[in-house]
Amino acid sequence: MEYLKVIAFTHHHIDLKSLGKLVICDQSLDSRLKNLQAELPVSEIFYIGTCNRVEFVFLTKEKTDKEFVTKFLTVLDMGLPPEFMERFLDNVTVFENEEAFNHLLRTSCSLESLVVGEKEILAQIRKAYENCRDAGFTGDYMRMIMDRVVKTAKEVYTHTNISKNPVSVVSLAYRKLKELNMCGNSRILIIGAGETNQNIAKYLNKHKYSNFSIFNRTFSKAESLAEELNGKAFHLEDLQNFTEGFDVIITCTGATEAIITEELYAKLLNGDTGKKVIVDLAIPNDVAPAVVHNHPIHYIEVESLKEVARKNIQERYNELVHAEDIISANITEFFTVLKQRRIELAMQEVPRKIKEIKNTAINGVFADEISQMDDASREVLERVMNYMEKKYISVPMIMAKEILVNQS
């Protein structure tokens, strides 16, 4: 474990916009890491780049002090202006040895994420590792590390409630919609084609909702989202003349005043008296209070969702102790696994040596005696020799592992 290191730049110390300057594009990653291994004593390495962290996980015998990190970034040739280089060096976090392993486990279990309990980070770390593994930047040691990282994260997500309750407004809004048991052909009006509505539309599309009409001030954005959803695109002003009816309105625009007024809502109803669903994710709200008060509506709005999100986040933080217990147990267990693997590697020459001794005995030392045996006797001898060979290979390995474990 003494050679495992992590150089981390994260949202804890660096603003997200600045972090973007450290992200390495896929096209240049291989050449940068090859150059790094050529210039520095780094035997295995993989790179993690997400929206809120850039990290390098690697093996080296060198002490990872400021001088090493400076050289590390310089060799990577990120094209950083001097002022950014200084800022990153002042805000880098370096982990070594067991602390590095603990950090990697905590990160994969989302304990270090911007939103605790988001499972996406495990998939991102796995993909980052696999990309570098396939390119030849990692070996047996990092394989063992990642096997334990995945095992630990799965245990945390399975045996704690750290990711059970959603905390994003979009996922909470979708959950509320799902509770209303809408049919797949419900007529859904999406007002606004920004990131929030794009995300909730992806949930709906994934779960087979299919009848979408998208309204947006910039028509090209409405077209883009409509194409994704196989729906219809409209200019925002076309809402005034829309007469095709609706069952659900999902709205999130940047308007400073309500855009769904009593008058507009009456036009959209077009005489329909049924109870409708409105999901209003805008701040300030897109729906006028009078619309909510004067009509039969299931109204889902952002402030109430935020309150649920706050409660869910607190519940997730309450699970941190359980998650850390699981991580601690896995670190302890991994040390035994690591020692056993070292024994395996140290003794991997044993099978070859035993085969050489066997071949020398059969074809050299006892060749004359064996040549005088009949077929049945030679067959028995061969079976005895094969049996002995397997035992001579396995017994020392087992004994060595047991001695090592007992000593520890």
Side-chain angles (χ1 to χ4, degrees), residues 378-405:
R378 276 199 296 270
E379 184 182 345
V380 171
L381 177 63
E382 183 69 24
R383 285 164 56 195
V384 170
M385 294 290 283
N386 288 340
Y387 175 81
M388 295 295 290
E389 179 185 347
K390 289 177 182 177
K391 290 299 179 182
Y392 280 134
I393 290 171
S394 63
V395 170
M397 192 83 73
I398 292 169
M399 290 177 67
K401 285 182 180 180
E402 287 177 350
I403 291 168
L404 193 61
V405 171

CSV table of all heavy atoms in Angstrom, one decimal, residues 378-405:
chain,number,residue,atom,x,y,z
A,378,ARG,N,4.6,-47.7,-15.9
A,378,ARG,CA,4.9,-46.3,-16.3
A,378,ARG,C,3.7,-45.4,-16.1
A,378,ARG,O,3.8,-44.2,-15.6
A,378,ARG,CB,5.4,-46.2,-17.7
A,378,ARG,CG,6.9,-46.4,-17.9
A,378,ARG,CD,7.4,-45.9,-19.2
A,378,ARG,NE,6.8,-46.6,-20.4
A,378,ARG,CZ,7.3,-47.7,-20.9
A,378,ARG,NH1,8.4,-48.2,-20.4
A,378,ARG,NH2,6.7,-48.3,-21.9
A,379,GLU,N,2.5,-45.9,-16.4
A,379,GLU,CA,1.3,-45.1,-16.2
A,379,GLU,C,1.0,-44.8,-14.7
A,379,GLU,O,0.7,-43.7,-14.3
A,379,GLU,CB,0.1,-45.9,-16.7
A,379,GLU,CG,-1.2,-45.1,-16.6
A,379,GLU,CD,-2.4,-45.9,-17.2
A,379,GLU,OE1,-2.2,-46.9,-17.8
A,379,GLU,OE2,-3.6,-45.5,-16.9
A,380,VAL,N,1.3,-45.8,-13.8
A,380,VAL,CA,1.1,-45.6,-12.4
A,380,VAL,C,2.2,-44.6,-11.9
A,380,VAL,O,1.8,-43.6,-11.1
A,380,VAL,CB,1.3,-46.9,-11.6
A,380,VAL,CG1,1.4,-46.7,-10.1
A,380,VAL,CG2,0.2,-47.9,-11.9
A,381,LEU,N,3.4,-44.7,-12.4
A,381,LEU,CA,4.4,-43.7,-12.0
A,381,LEU,C,4.0,-42.3,-12.4
A,381,LEU,O,4.2,-41.3,-11.7
A,381,LEU,CB,5.8,-44.1,-12.6
A,381,LEU,CG,6.9,-43.1,-12.3
A,381,LEU,CD1,7.2,-43.1,-10.8
A,381,LEU,CD2,8.2,-43.5,-13.1
A,382,GLU,N,3.5,-42.2,-13.7
A,382,GLU,CA,3.1,-40.9,-14.2
A,382,GLU,C,2.0,-40.2,-13.3
A,382,GLU,O,2.1,-39.1,-13.0
A,382,GLU,CB,2.6,-41.0,-15.6
A,382,GLU,CG,2.3,-39.7,-16.3
A,382,GLU,CD,3.5,-38.8,-16.5
A,382,GLU,OE1,4.6,-39.3,-16.6
A,382,GLU,OE2,3.3,-37.5,-16.6
A,383,ARG,N,1.1,-41.1,-12.9
A,383,ARG,CA,0.0,-40.6,-12.0
A,383,ARG,C,0.5,-40.2,-10.7
A,383,ARG,O,0.1,-39.1,-10.1
A,383,ARG,CB,-1.1,-41.7,-11.9
A,383,ARG,CG,-2.0,-41.9,-13.2
A,383,ARG,CD,-2.7,-43.1,-13.2
A,383,ARG,NE,-3.6,-43.3,-12.0
A,383,ARG,CZ,-4.1,-44.4,-11.6
A,383,ARG,NH1,-3.9,-45.5,-12.3
A,383,ARG,NH2,-4.9,-44.4,-10.5
A,384,VAL,N,1.4,-40.9,-10.1
A,384,VAL,CA,2.0,-40.6,-8.8
A,384,VAL,C,2.8,-39.3,-8.9
A,384,VAL,O,2.6,-38.4,-8.1
A,384,VAL,CB,3.0,-41.7,-8.3
A,384,VAL,CG1,3.8,-41.2,-7.1
A,384,VAL,CG2,2.2,-43.0,-8.0
A,385,MET,N,3.5,-39.1,-10.0
A,385,MET,CA,4.3,-37.9,-10.2
A,385,MET,C,3.4,-36.7,-10.4
A,385,MET,O,3.7,-35.6,-9.8
A,385,MET,CB,5.2,-38.1,-11.4
A,385,MET,CG,6.3,-39.1,-11.3
A,385,MET,SD,7.6,-38.6,-10.1
A,385,MET,CE,8.5,-37.4,-11.1
A,386,ASN,N,2.3,-36.8,-11.1
A,386,ASN,CA,1.4,-35.7,-11.3
A,386,ASN,C,0.7,-35.3,-10.0
A,386,ASN,O,0.6,-34.1,-9.7
A,386,ASN,CB,0.3,-36.1,-12.4
A,386,ASN,CG,0.9,-36.1,-13.8
A,386,ASN,OD1,1.9,-35.6,-14.1
A,386,ASN,ND2,0.2,-36.9,-14.7
A,387,TYR,N,0.4,-36.3,-9.2
A,387,TYR,CA,-0.2,-36.1,-7.9
A,387,TYR,C,0.7,-35.3,-7.0
A,387,TYR,O,0.4,-34.3,-6.4
A,387,TYR,CB,-0.6,-37.4,-7.3
A,387,TYR,CG,-1.2,-37.2,-5.9
A,387,TYR,CD1,-2.5,-36.9,-5.6
A,387,TYR,CD2,-0.3,-37.5,-4.8
A,387,TYR,CE1,-3.0,-36.7,-4.3
A,387,TYR,CE2,-0.8,-37.3,-3.5
A,387,TYR,CZ,-2.1,-36.9,-3.2
A,387,TYR,OH,-2.6,-36.8,-2.0
A,388,MET,N,2.0,-35.8,-7.0
A,388,MET,CA,3.0,-35.2,-6.1
A,388,MET,C,3.3,-33.7,-6.6
A,388,MET,O,3.5,-32.8,-5.8
A,388,MET,CB,4.3,-36.0,-6.2
A,388,MET,CG,4.2,-37.4,-5.6
A,388,MET,SD,3.8,-37.3,-3.8
A,388,MET,CE,5.4,-36.7,-3.2
A,389,GLU,N,3.3,-33.6,-7.9
A,389,GLU,CA,3.5,-32.2,-8.5
A,389,GLU,C,2.5,-31.2,-8.0
A,389,GLU,O,2.8,-30.1,-7.6
A,389,GLU,CB,3.5,-32.3,-10.0
A,389,GLU,CG,3.7,-30.9,-10.7
A,389,GLU,CD,3.6,-31.0,-12.2
A,389,GLU,OE1,3.6,-32.1,-12.8
A,389,GLU,OE2,3.5,-29.9,-12.8
A,390,LYS,N,1.2,-31.6,-8.1
A,390,LYS,CA,0.1,-30.7,-7.6
A,390,LYS,C,0.3,-30.4,-6.2
A,390,LYS,O,0.1,-29.2,-5.7
A,390,LYS,CB,-1.2,-31.3,-7.9
A,390,LYS,CG,-1.6,-31.4,-9.4
A,390,LYS,CD,-2.9,-32.1,-9.6
A,390,LYS,CE,-3.2,-32.2,-11.1
A,390,LYS,NZ,-4.5,-33.0,-11.3
A,391,LYS,N,0.6,-31.4,-5.4
A,391,LYS,CA,0.7,-31.2,-3.9
A,391,LYS,C,1.9,-30.3,-3.6
A,391,LYS,O,1.8,-29.4,-2.7
A,391,LYS,CB,0.8,-32.5,-3.2
A,391,LYS,CG,-0.5,-33.3,-3.2
A,391,LYS,CD,-1.6,-32.6,-2.5
A,391,LYS,CE,-2.9,-33.4,-2.5
A,391,LYS,NZ,-4.0,-32.6,-1.8
A,392,TYR,N,3.0,-30.5,-4.3
A,392,TYR,CA,4.2,-29.7,-4.0
A,392,TYR,C,4.0,-28.2,-4.4
A,392,TYR,O,4.6,-27.3,-3.9
A,392,TYR,CB,5.4,-30.3,-4.8
A,392,TYR,CG,6.1,-31.5,-4.1
A,392,TYR,CD1,6.4,-32.6,-4.8
A,392,TYR,CD2,6.3,-31.4,-2.7
A,392,TYR,CE1,7.0,-33.7,-4.2
A,392,TYR,CE2,6.9,-32.5,-2.1
A,392,TYR,CZ,7.3,-33.7,-2.9
A,392,TYR,OH,7.8,-34.7,-2.2
A,393,ILE,N,3.1,-28.0,-5.4
A,393,ILE,CA,2.8,-26.7,-5.8
A,393,ILE,C,1.8,-26.0,-4.8
A,393,ILE,O,2.0,-24.9,-4.3
A,393,ILE,CB,2.1,-26.6,-7.2
A,393,ILE,CG1,3.2,-27.0,-8.2
A,393,ILE,CG2,1.5,-25.2,-7.5
A,393,ILE,CD1,2.6,-27.2,-9.6
A,394,SER,N,0.7,-26.7,-4.4
A,394,SER,CA,-0.3,-26.1,-3.6
A,394,SER,C,0.0,-26.0,-2.1
A,394,SER,O,-0.3,-25.0,-1.5
A,394,SER,CB,-1.6,-26.9,-3.8
A,394,SER,OG,-1.5,-28.2,-3.3
A,395,VAL,N,0.6,-27.0,-1.5
A,395,VAL,CA,0.9,-27.0,-0.1
A,395,VAL,C,1.7,-25.9,0.4
A,395,VAL,O,1.4,-25.2,1.3
A,395,VAL,CB,1.5,-28.4,0.4
A,395,VAL,CG1,1.9,-28.3,1.8
A,395,VAL,CG2,0.4,-29.5,0.2
A,396,PRO,N,2.9,-25.6,-0.3
A,396,PRO,CA,3.7,-24.5,0.2
A,396,PRO,C,3.0,-23.1,0.1
A,396,PRO,O,3.1,-22.3,1.0
A,396,PRO,CB,4.9,-24.5,-0.7
A,396,PRO,CG,5.0,-25.9,-1.3
A,396,PRO,CD,3.6,-26.3,-1.4
A,397,MET,N,2.1,-23.0,-1.0
A,397,MET,CA,1.4,-21.8,-1.1
A,397,MET,C,0.4,-21.6,0.0
A,397,MET,O,0.3,-20.5,0.6
A,397,MET,CB,0.6,-21.8,-2.5
A,397,MET,CG,0.0,-20.5,-2.9
A,397,MET,SD,1.2,-19.5,-3.7
A,397,MET,CE,1.4,-20.3,-5.3
A,398,ILE,N,-0.3,-22.6,0.3
A,398,ILE,CA,-1.3,-22.6,1.4
A,398,ILE,C,-0.6,-22.3,2.8
A,398,ILE,O,-1.1,-21.5,3.5
A,398,ILE,CB,-2.1,-23.9,1.5
A,398,ILE,CG1,-3.0,-24.0,0.2
A,398,ILE,CG2,-3.0,-23.9,2.7
A,398,ILE,CD1,-3.6,-25.4,0.1
A,399,MET,N,0.5,-23.0,3.0
A,399,MET,CA,1.2,-22.8,4.3
A,399,MET,C,1.7,-21.4,4.4
A,399,MET,O,1.6,-20.8,5.5
A,399,MET,CB,2.3,-23.8,4.4
A,399,MET,CG,1.8,-25.3,4.6
A,399,MET,SD,3.2,-26.4,4.6
A,399,MET,CE,4.0,-25.9,6.2
A,400,ALA,N,2.2,-20.9,3.3
A,400,ALA,CA,2.8,-19.5,3.4
A,400,ALA,C,1.7,-18.5,3.7
A,400,ALA,O,1.9,-17.6,4.4
A,400,ALA,CB,3.5,-19.2,2.0
A,401,LYS,N,0.6,-18.7,3.0
A,401,LYS,CA,-0.6,-17.7,3.3
A,401,LYS,C,-1.0,-17.8,4.7
A,401,LYS,O,-1.3,-16.8,5.4
A,401,LYS,CB,-1.7,-18.1,2.3
A,401,LYS,CG,-1.5,-17.7,0.9
A,401,LYS,CD,-2.8,-18.0,0.1
A,401,LYS,CE,-2.6,-17.6,-1.4
A,401,LYS,NZ,-3.8,-17.9,-2.2
A,402,GLU,N,-1.1,-19.0,5.2
A,402,GLU,CA,-1.6,-19.2,6.6
A,402,GLU,C,-0.6,-18.6,7.6
A,402,GLU,O,-1.0,-17.9,8.6
A,402,GLU,CB,-1.7,-20.7,6.9
A,402,GLU,CG,-3.0,-21.3,6.3
A,402,GLU,CD,-3.1,-22.8,6.5
A,402,GLU,OE1,-2.1,-23.4,7.1
A,402,GLU,OE2,-4.1,-23.4,6.2
A,403,ILE,N,0.7,-18.8,7.3
A,403,ILE,CA,1.7,-18.2,8.2
A,403,ILE,C,1.6,-16.6,8.2
A,403,ILE,O,1.7,-16.0,9.2
A,403,ILE,CB,3.1,-18.6,7.8
A,403,ILE,CG1,3.3,-20.1,8.1
A,403,ILE,CG2,4.2,-17.8,8.5
A,403,ILE,CD1,4.5,-20.7,7.4
A,404,LEU,N,1.4,-16.1,7.0
A,404,LEU,CA,1.3,-14.6,6.8
A,404,LEU,C,0.1,-14.1,7.6
A,404,LEU,O,0.2,-13.1,8.3
A,404,LEU,CB,1.3,-14.3,5.4
A,404,LEU,CG,1.5,-12.8,5.0
A,404,LEU,CD1,2.9,-12.4,5.5
A,404,LEU,CD2,1.4,-12.6,3.5
A,405,VAL,N,-1.0,-14.7,7.4
A,405,VAL,CA,-2.2,-14.3,8.0
A,405,VAL,C,-2.1,-14.4,9.5
A,405,VAL,O,-2.5,-13.4,10.3
A,405,VAL,CB,-3.5,-15.1,7.5
A,405,VAL,CG1,-4.7,-14.8,8.4
A,405,VAL,CG2,-3.7,-14.8,6.1
